[in-house]
Amino acid sequence: MNICVIGPGYVGLVTAACFAEMGNEVICVSRDEQKVNKLKQGIIPIYEPGLEALVEKNLKDDRLRFTTSLEDGVKNSLFVFIAVATPPEEDGSADLAHVIEVAKRIGRCLDEYKIIVNKSTVPVGTAEKVRAAIQSELDNRGINLEFDVVSNPEFLKEGDAINDFMKPDRVVLGTDNIRSGELIKELYAPFAREREKLIVMDVRSAEMTKYAANAMLATKISFMNEMANICERVGADVAMVRKGIGSDHRIGYHFIYPGVGYGGSCFPKDVKALMATAKEAGYEAKIMTTVEEVNAAQKKILAQKIIDYFKDRGGLKGKTIAVWGLAFKPNTDDMREAPSIDIIGVLTGQGAKIKAHDPEAIKEAKRVFGNNPSIEYFDNHYDALKDADCMALITEWFVYRNPDFERISQQLKSSVVFDGRNQYNPAEMKRMGFEYVSIGR
């Protein structure tokens, strides 16, 4: 099938590469000529395991190509996926400017029946706005053409996006048209060979499903962080509590890891957007408000533990903190809303110096923090420890899970570890001579 994907960002690039891998002819469109030129060479702007190789393979096999011409993409495709950014407004609502602008551009070059697919994460009612924008351009041209606008939200985890796309739990489709539903079903058939995965519903319900899914996962994270904070105060171990409740199949173990809060491009933005959507509809989303408040506070808890530790040791001014992990989660270089930003901001604000390591996010961290003289970056995680007063683990990359603790102790001035992800065993850390501080234990 012929597919156009507008917006080769995280979602768009994964979508384009995976559709091409299944034998489709895919045209990926961007206004950014420099980005397009790099993509034509197989140079991708993000880190996602396996994505660069998939793009290179399908470029070589001529199933995937990149262009700045939206008209070229639309005219040569049946399916037109909109996968542009929807950044948050100041009030938390999603900014649809890019989506509507793309819709207008589609309307200016539409010449036959197409299925317009909203892949971007958008508020309820966006499909209607996209349809109106396209129809307005057709009216201006004096043309009467049939087209469908459907919702097909993405459920990709950063760090495992290709697997999520190729082997999805479900494919949600919002449409009120049988014809577009059957065509989308045919498009996704190669991804659902073992069982039927396409869930068809009305457009507004599909748009809501995306927000509801991310809001539920964010709620589980904030709930477990709340439990961790209570556990600390009553002398319980949140790791044991997690095992106790996770064994209940109604709860499960997924997304109930306590830590330093959630970040990334989805949960923070989508929780706020859902709150804004509810407010616009005349409803106060109290649970979502609390989820967001708990998460904002949780991002500062590890920094406060470090401040409290050094309070009677001369304070943080002049101290050096080795930080392991900068990205908001492992297997990505994404630092949007990353807890490390808040933690490092608090520590440097108290006069501390930071020696940081991350397997993939150093380049992005330099962009986020700018030329901050208080932050030094290292390519090797052990090198970041040398002469530091303590180590703080923020992101649970595999390379940090079973380190050489003797080497850590030798590199640090003092054997002090602040574990923001509860990766290590408290009893073992104590046995090895570490002062060990974690979350909820």
Side-chain angles (χ1 to χ4, degrees):
M1 290 186 167
N2 295 321
I3 301 166
C4 172
V5 177
I6 303 170
Y10 181 81
V11 172
L13 199 53
V14 171
T15 299
C18 289
F19 273 137
E21 180 67 7
M22 285 301 185
N24 299 286
E25 301 293 324
V26 183
I27 301 172
C28 205
V29 180
S30 173
R31 271 182 163 173
D32 188 335
E33 189 171 353
Q34 186 177 9
K35 178 185 282 189
V36 167
N37 288 336
K38 286 184 177 180
L39 286 167
K40 286 179 177 179
Q41 301 171 53
I43 302 171
I44 66 174
I46 57 173
Y47 173 75
E48 176 64 34
L51 181 57
E52 189 168 54
L54 202 62
V55 168
E56 288 178 352
K57 177 186 176 185
N58 285 282
L59 276 171
K60 183 180 179 181
D61 293 341
D62 294 324
R63 289 190 300 270
L64 175 63
R65 65 186 179 92
F66 298 93
T67 180
T68 57
S69 173
L70 185 140
E71 183 175 359
D72 178 24
V74 171
K75 290 197 172 185
N76 288 288
S77 304
L78 171 60
F79 301 96
V80 181
F81 282 78
I82 300 177
V84 294
T86 54
E89 299 272 23
E90 287 187 10
D91 64 354
S93 61
D95 181 358
L96 297 178
H98 298 302
V99 172
I100 300 304
E101 173 59 26
V102 165
K104 289 178 179 178
R105 292 173 64 200
I106 292 171
R108 291 172 197 146
C109 61
L110 208 63
D111 60 357
E112 60 181 340
Y113 176 76
K114 307 287 181 184
I115 299 174
I116 315 303
V117 187
N118 271 343
K119 200 70 174 171
S120 300
T121 300
V122 294
V124 176
T126 299
E128 295 160 21
K129 294 178 181 179
V130 168
R131 170 172 285 281
I134 294 173
Q135 188 60 56
S136 176
E137 293 299 327
L138 291 175
D139 292 343
N140 290 340
R141 293 166 60 196
I143 297 176
N144 184 24
L145 286 174
E146 183 185 1
F147 65 95
D148 285 320
V149 178
V150 305
S151 174
N152 176 219
E154 54 85 13
F155 300 97
L156 306 177
K157 298 187 298 291
E158 289 194 46
D160 199 27
I162 292 173
N163 187 56
D164 285 342
F165 200 102
M166 301 296 271
K167 300 175 182 178
D169 295 323
R170 78 288 205 197
V171 177
V172 173
L173 172 65
T175 181
D176 301 314
N177 184 290
I178 294 175
R179 179 184 181 186
S180 61
E182 289 301 314
L183 287 168
I184 290 281
K185 184 175 182 178
E186 185 180 347
L187 176 65
Y188 276 104
F191 302 94
R193 294 173 64 88
E194 294 181 3
R195 63 178 174 84
E196 179 57 59
K197 297 181 180 181
L198 187 67
I199 303 172
V200 182
M201 59 185 73
D202 64 277
V203 175
R204 283 181 167 247
S205 294
E207 291 170 333
M208 184 65 181
T209 297
K210 168 64 177 179
Y211 280 125
N214 279 351
M216 172 60 80
L217 297 175
T219 299
K220 291 183 75 173
I221 294 170
S222 280
F223 171 83
M224 206 61 205
N225 283 331
E226 189 97 292
M227 292 304 102
N229 296 335
I230 296 172
C231 283
E232 278 193 16
R233 288 158 176 78
V234 300
D237 185 341
V238 72
M240 296 295 103
V241 173
R242 179 184 176 275
K243 289 182 180 179
I245 66 174
S247 59
D248 186 331
H249 71 275
R250 296 170 301 173
I251 299 171
Y253 289 106
H254 295 299
F255 285 86
I256 57 168
Y257 289 94
V260 290
Y262 59 77
S265 63
C266 294
F267 290 1
K269 175 172 71 74
D270 292 353
V271 167
K272 291 170 186 172
L274 185 55
M275 290 162 57
T277 295
K279 185 177 181 180
E280 188 177 337
Y283 180 79
E284 182 184 358
K286 294 180 181 178
I287 291 178
M288 293 299 93
T289 301
T290 302
V291 166
E292 174 62 20
E293 289 174 351
V294 169
N295 191 62
Q298 196 70 19
K299 287 183 175 183
K300 295 181 172 62
I301 279 182
L302 191 70
Q304 190 58 53
K305 288 176 180 288
I306 296 172
I307 291 170
D308 291 344
Y309 177 84
F310 284 104
K311 186 186 300 180
D312 298 327
R313 295 172 173 83
L316 269 183
K317 189 171 184 179
K319 298 293 192 300
T320 299
I321 316 296
V323 169
W324 279 8
L326 298 167
F328 87 94
K329 63 179 287 189
N331 294 322
T332 181
D333 60 353
D334 195 343
M335 285 194 59
R336 284 173 288 186
E337 303 275 352
S340 64
I341 297 173
D342 295 79
I343 294 167
I344 290 173
V346 171
L347 296 177
T348 55
Q350 293 280 324
K353 293 186 180 299
I354 304 297
K355 300 176 77 173
H357 173 268
D358 188 283
E360 295 294 339
I362 289 178
K363 181 179 178 181
E364 182 63 14
K366 289 178 178 179
R367 187 193 67 79
V368 170
F369 291 113
N371 296 320
N372 189 329
S374 298
I375 306 173
E376 187 178 1
Y377 302 94
F378 293 83
D379 293 328
N380 182 285
H381 53 302
Y382 291 112
D383 290 345
L385 301 171
K386 187 172 176 57
D387 296 328
D389 293 280
C390 69
M391 186 267 274
L393 175 68
I394 298 178
T395 312
E396 65 277 30
W397 285 90
F398 285 164
V399 72
Y400 304 149
R401 291 197 176 181
N402 191 28
D404 183 338
F405 288 105
E406 183 177 350
R407 190 174 176 183
I408 292 174
S409 183
Q410 290 172 349
Q411 293 283 78
L412 292 172
K413 283 184 181 178
S414 303
S415 299
V416 183
V417 172
F418 293 87
D419 185 353
R421 296 294 182 177
N422 287 4
Q423 292 294 289
Y424 309 133
N425 184 299
E428 278 298 301
M429 294 298 284
K430 184 177 181 180
R431 184 188 65 78
M432 291 185 289
F434 283 91
E435 289 189 72
Y436 177 69
V437 181
S438 56
I439 305 290
R441 303 165 85 179

